[in-house]
Amino acid sequence: MERRLQRTQVLENTTVARDTVILRVDMGLPQLVEPGQFAMVHPLRAGCILPRPFSILDADADSLTILVKVVGKGSRALAALRPGEELRIFAPLGSSFDVSALSERECILVAGGVGLVPLHMLARRLRESAAHPVIPIFGARSEEDLPRSLLRKEDVAWRLWVEKPSKPDCRKGLVTAGLEEAFEEHPDAVVTTCGPTPMMRAVATICRRERRPLWLCLEEQMGCGAGVCRACVVPAAAGDRMRTVCKDGPVFALDDIQFFTTAGSAS
Amino acid sequence: MSHDVDLTVRLGPVTFANPIFTASGTWGYGLDYLDLVDPALLGGVVTKTLTVAPRLGNPQPRVRELDHGMLNSIGLENVGLDAFLAEKLPVLRERGVTTIVSLAGREEEEFAIMARTLARHEGWAGVELNLSCPNVAKGGLDFGVDPERIERITRLTRAALPTDRCLWVKLTPNVSSIATLGRAAESGGAHAISAINTVVGMAVDLERREPVFPRGIAGYSGPAILPIALAKVFELRQAVSIPIVGVGGIASMDDVLRFFVVGAEAVQVGTSLFAEPDLAHRVVEALAQALRERQALSPRSLRASMLG
């Protein structure tokens, strides 16, 4: 994997949902970006010491696209960037979903919030290559949080779950209800998930119970994106060492990590 | 040009090609950015701190960004000295990287034990004693605030080092007199002092009414601590005669030059490497020109007149 670190500029900034924009930046990557891979993005603003990790939504020979939801000062600064304004990008980083292995099975995708991004790319790749059904499920707090233009794209029919639906294409409830429903329809399907940690824990609990293989794309605060600062660690399954979400991950098989305990332990 | 800029710096028995280093804990073991930059071009790499046995480190959260700096509570997670010697050092040596090995011990004797283990290997230029990591419940800070223990550990480690390797002692700013600590390191035989380690700080979660980090305190670093580091180097410069390696908050070439003005012989770039892993390299590339523009033939000639 060839990483690039460069100062570059925004080409396009499009609002797609409440407090959520898609940024297309001027950066060509030499190889295909795989679903799950991310970019460390620095807004080059005072008050931002560290870059922030963003899953890559799309990349081609000339540009790279990320989805930015405003959650703090860094994402606010990024979401406010206009075309021509500068930022620093380090990409592509991290591990990815194994598209060729997943395309051999029926695959359920469970996304929440900005966790949509890596699974959106995965859904597109699986649609291109899979002979088997792909079942993408997306949950958001409300309909205002749905990036409709993305969810309509590429002929992938996302099953939408929100707390209080008003439109007929949304179901009422949590994505986990969607997962249970999909399990009944697809008894042999495997699962991939990305979203807030409590959601992924709920998904992992159901997958354990049903003995379904699960791959997770983890979210964690990061400092460097290169395995150096050791901020984003998760204990390995055996408990004998730490894995970094940024370099060993962000995509892990559930059985490879201790996902239900958050702690390391000082020795 | 007959009188061009001289970037070499001599710290004890070792002469370094230039005075720009990466700070411990901010650039791994020097091998994580080989696709972007050549670590052999730096004055040297100070490794992540190593302990005798591997450590898993502290629970999450480990890092919190603030407006002008960051707090960390990593807890000395590291692969352990043996794994470093087996897996990292041979690569550093083969690539011609000038390596300073950062060491932390739980007991006073462990520093010398690790130095003796290192002495059986080639491919490193010196050690830096991490006596002042505030993120570990046992040891660490205790050593780093006590001048007698600093002197004793420094002496024991110096005795265990081959004579052609240098010994740096990294000092904490979290004391009333860093000059006292500096004199202790000098008496113990340190070739250089690294100043400063992180400043003790705390982040507070107002919603939960708890400190953010389970241990409460954490280590503050980044641009916010530059003025503190400059003041401590300035104070040390007047207290000791051994060289000082300035570290704390460097984010630009100008920050590097400021350390030279207050008396540092060399510097370490730290927290800013997380955002710009090539920052130390860009400083190395531009340093000679920056000095020329100030009619300075060496970093040393930038020193403030009041420091003599």
Side-chain angles (χ1 to χ4, degrees):
Chain A
M1 181 186 67
E2 192 181 325
R3 304 177 296 183
R4 289 200 176 159
L5 171 69
Q6 70 185 60
R7 207 176 154 120
T8 183
Q9 59 175 337
V10 171
L11 296 172
E12 230 178 315
N13 177 333
T14 315
T15 299
V16 290
R18 180 170 59 184
D19 294 332
T20 308
V21 305
I22 288 180
L23 281 187
R24 196 163 69 84
V25 305
D26 184 3
M27 184 160 181
L29 293 173
Q31 78 278 29
L32 190 68
V33 170
E34 297 294 332
Q37 291 193 296
F38 66 99
M40 289 302 277
V41 184
H42 195 289
L44 304 177
R45 295 291 168 91
C48 292
I49 305 293
L50 300 171
R52 272 76 173 154
F54 291 90
S55 291
I56 298 170
L57 179 62
D58 216 340
D60 58 33
D62 309 308
S63 70
L64 181 147
T65 307
I66 58 172
L67 181 90
V68 179
K69 178 164 175 74
V70 176
V71 293
K73 66 188 173 189
S75 49
R76 182 169 294 112
L78 286 169
L81 291 177
R82 310 319 308 171
E85 292 189 298
E86 289 200 310
L87 70 176
R88 194 190 303 111
I89 309 257
F90 186 25
L93 305 172
S95 66
S96 57
F97 291 107
D98 186 340
V99 176
S100 61
L102 290 171
S103 65
E104 315 253 305
R105 308 277 298 267
E106 293 184 6
C107 189
I108 301 168
L109 284 52
V110 186
V114 293
L116 173 66
V117 177
L119 295 186
H120 195 271
M121 188 193 286
L122 178 62
R124 281 178 279 142
R125 294 280 166 82
L126 289 176
R127 290 285 299 202
E128 286 163 18
S129 59
H132 302 281
V134 178
I135 307 98
I137 309 166
F138 178 64
R141 200 156 291 153
S142 80
E143 287 178 1
E144 292 168 302
D145 296 319
L146 297 175
R148 291 271 179 191
S149 55
L150 265 185
L151 293 165
R152 274 197 300 269
K153 231 176 157 182
E154 315 279 347
D155 197 30
V156 178
W158 288 85
R159 301 177 177 186
L160 307 178
W161 291 78
V162 297
E163 273 174 28
K164 289 179 187 163
S166 65
K167 298 201 174 69
D169 62 348
C170 288
R171 308 270 298 277
K172 178 179 166 62
L174 301 173
V175 280
T176 42
L179 175 61
E180 303 265 20
E181 181 184 273
F183 272 161
E184 285 176 25
E185 300 164 8
H186 301 274
D188 297 320
V190 298
V191 185
T192 61
T193 187
C194 185
T197 300
M199 183 208 89
M200 287 199 286
R201 289 224 169 99
V203 168
T205 302
I206 296 168
C207 288
R208 277 262 161 91
R209 190 192 72 208
E210 299 290 324
R211 305 214 169 130
R212 303 286 184 115
L214 171 67
W215 288 268
L216 315 111
C217 185
L218 299 189
E219 270 184 33
E220 190 53 80
Q221 280 196 44
M222 293 181 189
C224 68
V228 165
C229 76
R230 314 305 294 178
C232 65
V233 295
V234 55
D240 57 336
R241 65 199 170 110
M242 292 292 188
R243 313 289 307 273
T244 53
V245 173
C246 68
K247 199 173 178 190
D248 301 316
V251 178
F252 293 99
L254 178 60
D255 293 339
D256 289 345
I257 54 169
Q258 292 180 16
F259 185 55
F260 293 95
T261 54
T262 50
S265 61
S267 52
Chain B
M1 208 194 309
S2 57
H3 295 290
D4 200 7
V5 170
D6 181 9
L7 292 182
T8 61
V9 57
R10 189 173 172 83
L11 304 173
V14 182
T15 300
F16 298 90
N18 68 68
I20 310 299
F21 294 78
T22 56
S24 181
T26 63
W27 223 57
Y29 305 100
L31 300 171
D32 292 281
Y33 298 102
L34 297 177
D35 53 335
L36 301 179
V37 288
D38 177 2
L41 298 176
L42 296 166
V45 169
V46 184
T47 68
K48 177 142 186 56
T49 294
L50 291 154
T51 49
V52 171
R55 287 178 56 90
L56 292 176
N58 287 339
Q60 294 282 4
R62 289 179 162 197
V63 165
R64 175 59 57 102
E65 186 193 55
L66 303 173
D67 281 350
H68 306 287
M70 64 169 261
L71 286 159
N72 87 77
S73 182
I74 306 295
L76 291 185
E77 183 191 351
N78 77 95
V79 298
L81 185 58
D82 287 345
F84 170 78
L85 293 172
E87 294 156 25
K88 314 286 185 187
L89 189 61
V91 187
L92 290 162
R93 186 184 178 193
E94 184 189 308
R95 301 190 67 99
V97 180
T98 303
T99 303
I100 302 291
V101 185
S102 173
L103 302 176
R106 280 173 308 179
E107 315 291 341
E108 288 182 19
E109 297 73 24
E110 275 190 4
F111 292 89
I113 290 168
M114 285 189 278
R116 272 193 286 277
T117 305
L118 266 170
R120 295 197 291 271
H121 297 259
E122 284 303 320
W124 54 284
V127 300
E128 180 181 84
L129 304 186
N130 179 1
L131 300 168
S132 51
C133 181
N135 296 326
V136 184
K138 194 181 165 196
L141 194 58
D142 298 336
F143 296 148
V145 299
D146 180 346
E148 285 176 21
R149 300 185 85 172
I150 289 176
E151 184 177 342
R152 209 155 50 228
I153 292 168
T154 305
R155 179 166 291 121
L156 287 170
T157 311
R158 173 77 187 268
L161 278 188
T163 53
D164 60 345
R165 311 300 162 90
C166 62
L167 172 58
W168 304 2
V169 176
K170 191 170 186 178
L171 298 182
T172 177
N174 306 305
V175 289
S176 53
S177 170
I178 200 169
T180 307
L181 305 188
R183 281 190 287 264
E186 185 173 38
S187 306
H191 295 117
I193 288 166
S194 306
I196 55 177
N197 209 320
T198 54
V199 177
V200 167
M202 182 179 283
V204 173
D205 184 333
L206 205 45
E207 298 298 311
R208 287 171 44 239
R209 301 189 199 176
E210 297 282 355
V212 166
F213 296 100
R215 286 181 36 73
I217 61 164
Y220 196 34
S221 68
I225 73 163
L226 177 77
I228 300 168
L230 292 171
K232 298 298 178 188
V233 170
F234 186 78
E235 184 183 344
L236 283 164
R237 184 65 289 150
Q238 296 164 91
V240 299
S241 52
I242 53 176
I244 298 167
V245 182
V247 48
I250 290 174
S252 67
M253 174 67 82
D254 284 358
D255 294 342
V256 170
L257 300 180
R258 289 181 177 106
F259 272 105
F260 295 142
V261 171
V262 297
E265 306 274 346
V267 297
Q268 297 173 8
V269 184
T271 296
S272 290
L273 294 172
F274 294 145
E276 298 174 78
D278 60 344
L279 180 61
H281 283 78
R282 287 192 279 115
V283 170
V284 170
E285 274 168 34
L287 181 58
Q289 184 57 28
L291 291 171
R292 263 181 228 119
E293 284 166 8
R294 288 168 178 78
Q295 285 80 48
L297 288 175
S298 69
R300 176 121 195 187
S301 51
L302 285 179
R303 192 168 292 183
S305 58
M306 61 197 293
L307 286 169

